[in-house]
Amino acid sequence: MQISKIVLYNHLGDKRIVNFELGKVNIITGESKSGKSALIEIVNYCLASSNCDIPEGIIRDTVSYFSVCITFNDGEMVFIARENPNIKGISASTTVCLMRSIEELPELSAINSNMNVDTLKEFLTRKIGISENLHIPDSLTREPLKANFKHSRFYCYQPQYLVADPHQLFYNQNKEFVPQSIKDTLPYFLGAVNEDSLLVESEITQLKKLLNRINREKRENDKIRSEGVSQAYSLIEEAKEIGILERSINPKTRGEAYTHLERVASWEYQPLEVKAENSAIKELIDKRSELKIELGKISDNRKAATDYLRSSFGYTTEAKQQEIRLESINLYNDDLEIDACKCPLCESRLETPIPTIQNINKSLENIKEDLKFTIVESPRIQSYIEGVESNYHSIETELKTVERSIAALYSENEKARTIRDLNLRRGKIIGRVSLFLESINSDPEIEDIDSKIDNLKNRILELEESVDSDNEKEKLLSILNKINLQMSKWVNDLDVEYENNPIRFDINKLTMYIDTDFKPIALPQIGSGANWVAYHLLIVFALHQHFIQNDRPVPRFIIIDQPTQVYYPPERTEDIVEISSDEIAVTKMFDFMFNVVSNLSPNLQVIITDHAYLKNNENFENSVTEIWRDGLRLIPEEWIRL
Amino acid sequence: MNLTWDDRNTIVANLFNPAFCGEVIRVVAKEYNKHTNTVFPYEFAFLILPILLHQETRVRMPRSVRTYFFVWVEDNDDLFYDFSKRTKGMVKYTKEALLFLLLYKKIVLDENGGIVTSQERVIKIDNVDHLELNHILQKAQMLGKWLSASSDVKSIYSFFRITP
């Protein structure tokens, strides 16, 4: 994402366009108070800043809309305009006008707000390719932070007050909370955080759940197995007790015991012989089971019928919608002479005729017919269901009577109850035996479970490693090392005090250190503004080189305001300072920027506003976009007179 | 538009019949023209049916036009991930409906391809069965107003990820 144009609209709709070239150094050189420094704030305001820091004065008095044209890496040009908040007396307007894929600038009258700032932020976040990410702090005192477009801007602006400030390196770093969010999101922008860590985290949770379930299964099986043989004997004893096995059985070996148990498990249910006085109960029990089967059938029928009814009603409503939509035909006048085969646009013959009113009317008739049929049919189903329903209820009552008499007989006959109990206990024993046998026989499956568990554990470990914070820290360290190395290499191209000592960027303190032979020196402890500017340029360019080489989602532009201020303070003269090429320090600085940009061409755009003009430097002279002097400035003079 | 009326699947033909689709388009265009000086652009016509006849999209439309169109689109991104496919599917019905409207003199095309509509009132029938139809027509009026406030055709197509 780079800046193609900055466009200001005044109240009459006149435009002031500042053009920039993509992938190059663009220099605007001009007098003091010509509006150079406002450019950063204008760009920032248009790119979804929540407040407007554009300086008060002529600019805020004359402009009605601030806008930028940005070109994304995929070539799409987008126009973003935001109203000058002065007009309505608010600190910043919350709405913006966004136009996509534009070819020419819209007129003032065509600019209407069509979205709010938050949506613009979302749009830019997605458009520059920030994937879903979340920084979860190690200590839980802070909310997790999601990197978005706003966090990528810290590295793009170097305003006048910042570029020579020893205490801060990045835009807005002096504001509350900003240093922390820089520390939280920079690892993401550098690429030290696994891109799809969110996805991986959720996969880990899923796998862990699965692992728990399998572990539980395994524990149950193990428990049954460990009780093993002794339980087999006790089960056989119990089976003998209630008469499933003969009394004489007395297994000697484990295998023998298992065969007996298998017999128990496959034991066919033989109702206990009921003695004569219980025959009434037997009959009743048989009757009860018959009734239950009957009831089951009826309830199935009922369900089928209701289901049919429901779906058929569904059809009715659907058909009804067709009818309603076809009725739209009444809106049309069929008196007109219509030739359906003639194209109304070009008078040519159509291969297939346009459906005419007659067609649609016929369909309307058909669907009305259909509907009549459906509506007639549904009551018949209803009556069928009613029949089924009453049948169901009568059987239910009968079943209740039977059960009641069974209960009565039972309470009369204690003996009968023991028999029922015995049946129950037999069932229980058989159940336990079969569970026991299953767990004994499932040896191969258990091996399966073991290997499954191992696999899962390995997979989880693997995934955890990929999102592991230690791992991320290491990655971050290696990236920072690379950046430090780059800076130490570049430092020779600049005019600084400690030319031969390695430099390092400390992400925790957000400052730079120079490791001299004796001790590390932090940036604020190094004197001289020239050094401060140089180190700012080093870190910003080194970061951008890394972003570009690793295709990280950060805008591909840097705006630097007044990098020469330490050599030629703007207070000294109002006019442009013309510098000959023998001013080594300044030449070195500009040459450094030209070199980096051309090495990364066309992926980095640098916009420099300065009041110095480097004479006899070809690169500089070719890069000058506009010279703001003798009346030419950001705000045209005619606007002021208005 | 390859099949003649009688050869079509009855249900699809009835539900997307050109008289109905045409009326929906007419309502949107009429409302659009009422709220702006520009004439309803031909390209917008193709967005109408996929938005309004897709039930979930229609139901999730906000109550008033105070919500910006693009904000709504961004917030309901899940509705639009296959929007271009949906739009393509509806192109033939839109075209047919437009021809139908032209044939019965409900719309006229101006020299820039804008759509000028007849001024008949939108008829809504108060009846339980007509709830869906009324909802569609109501949202059609809203969409017309909405589109009139949202800038140009290209931005809207970009947001729907439709490439020509």
Side-chain angles (χ1 to χ4, degrees), chain A residues 231-245 260-261 263-267 421-437:
Chain A
Q231 209 192 355
Y233 286 115
S234 76
L235 280 172
I236 288 176
E237 280 310 308
E238 274 185 65
K240 282 198 307 198
E241 194 66 27
I242 52 171
I244 299 178
L245 291 175
H260 286 307
L261 284 176
R263 253 177 61 214
V264 174
S266 56
W267 190 69
D421 283 356
L422 205 56
N423 270 334
L424 270 180
R425 278 170 61 199
R426 279 184 176 174
K428 274 189 197 160
I429 279 285
I430 292 171
R432 274 166 61 202
V433 167
S434 47
L435 177 65
F436 175 76
L437 288 175

Side-chain angles (χ1 to χ4, degrees), chain A residues 76 95 98-103 112-116 119 122-123 126 318 320-322 324-329 331-334 336 338-340 342-345 350 352-360 362-363 367, chain B residues 1-6 8 10-11 14-20 22-23 53 68-71 74 77 96 99-106 109 120 123 125 129-130 132-133 136 149-152 154-155 158-159 161:
Chain A
E76 184 181 350
T95 55
L98 176 72
M99 293 187 195
R100 294 181 60 171
S101 318
I102 58 154
E103 271 143 31
N112 286 315
S113 296
N114 56 14
M115 61 165 54
N116 53 32
T119 316
E122 293 285 308
F123 167 73
R126 228 183 33 212
E318 162 124 335
K320 189 76 195 159
Q321 284 312 318
Q322 292 181 41
I324 289 170
R325 288 192 181 182
L326 284 168
E327 272 171 1
S328 303
I329 199 67
L331 302 168
Y332 300 88
N333 187 355
D334 60 356
L336 288 172
I338 299 298
D339 181 358
K342 202 166 80 179
C343 173
L345 277 179
L350 291 173
T352 41
I354 304 166
T356 56
I357 287 195
Q358 286 74 29
N359 283 139
I360 291 172
K362 212 172 90 203
S363 298
I367 200 103
Chain B
M1 246 209 318
N2 311 323
L3 295 174
T4 59
W5 183 254
D6 291 329
R8 294 182 199 184
T10 327
I11 297 177
N14 287 350
L15 285 176
F16 292 133
N17 74 74
F20 165 71
E23 177 64 7
L53 298 190
Y68 287 116
F69 187 59
F70 291 147
V71 175
E74 285 280 328
D77 207 32
E96 183 178 80
L99 287 179
F100 193 84
L101 289 168
L102 284 168
L103 202 59
Y104 289 97
K105 314 238 178 309
K106 294 288 180 190
L109 291 182
E120 288 133 319
I123 299 169
I125 300 158
D129 284 335
H130 287 73
E132 193 187 70
L133 182 77
I136 292 174
S150 305
S151 55
D152 54 324
K154 259 194 236 155
S155 295
S158 302
F159 269 99
R161 307 193 188 98

Side-chain angles (χ1 to χ4, degrees), chain B residues 10 21 43 50 54 60 70 74 88 90 127 129 132-133 135 141 155 162 164:
Chain B
T10 327
C21 294
E43 300 91 318
H54 185 255
R60 280 215 239 156
F70 291 147
E74 285 280 328
K88 260 179 217 135
M90 294 302 280
N127 180 325
D129 284 335
E132 193 187 70
L133 182 77
H135 193 238
Q141 285 173 317
S155 295
I162 301 173

Side-chain angles (χ1 to χ4, degrees), chain A residues 543-561:
Chain A
L543 283 177
H544 270 272
Q545 173 166 301
H546 177 82
F547 294 149
I548 289 165
Q549 285 169 348
N550 294 278
D551 202 19
R552 300 303 304 156
V554 175
R556 299 278 183 257
F557 65 81
I558 309 172
I559 309 182
I560 304 167
D561 189 25

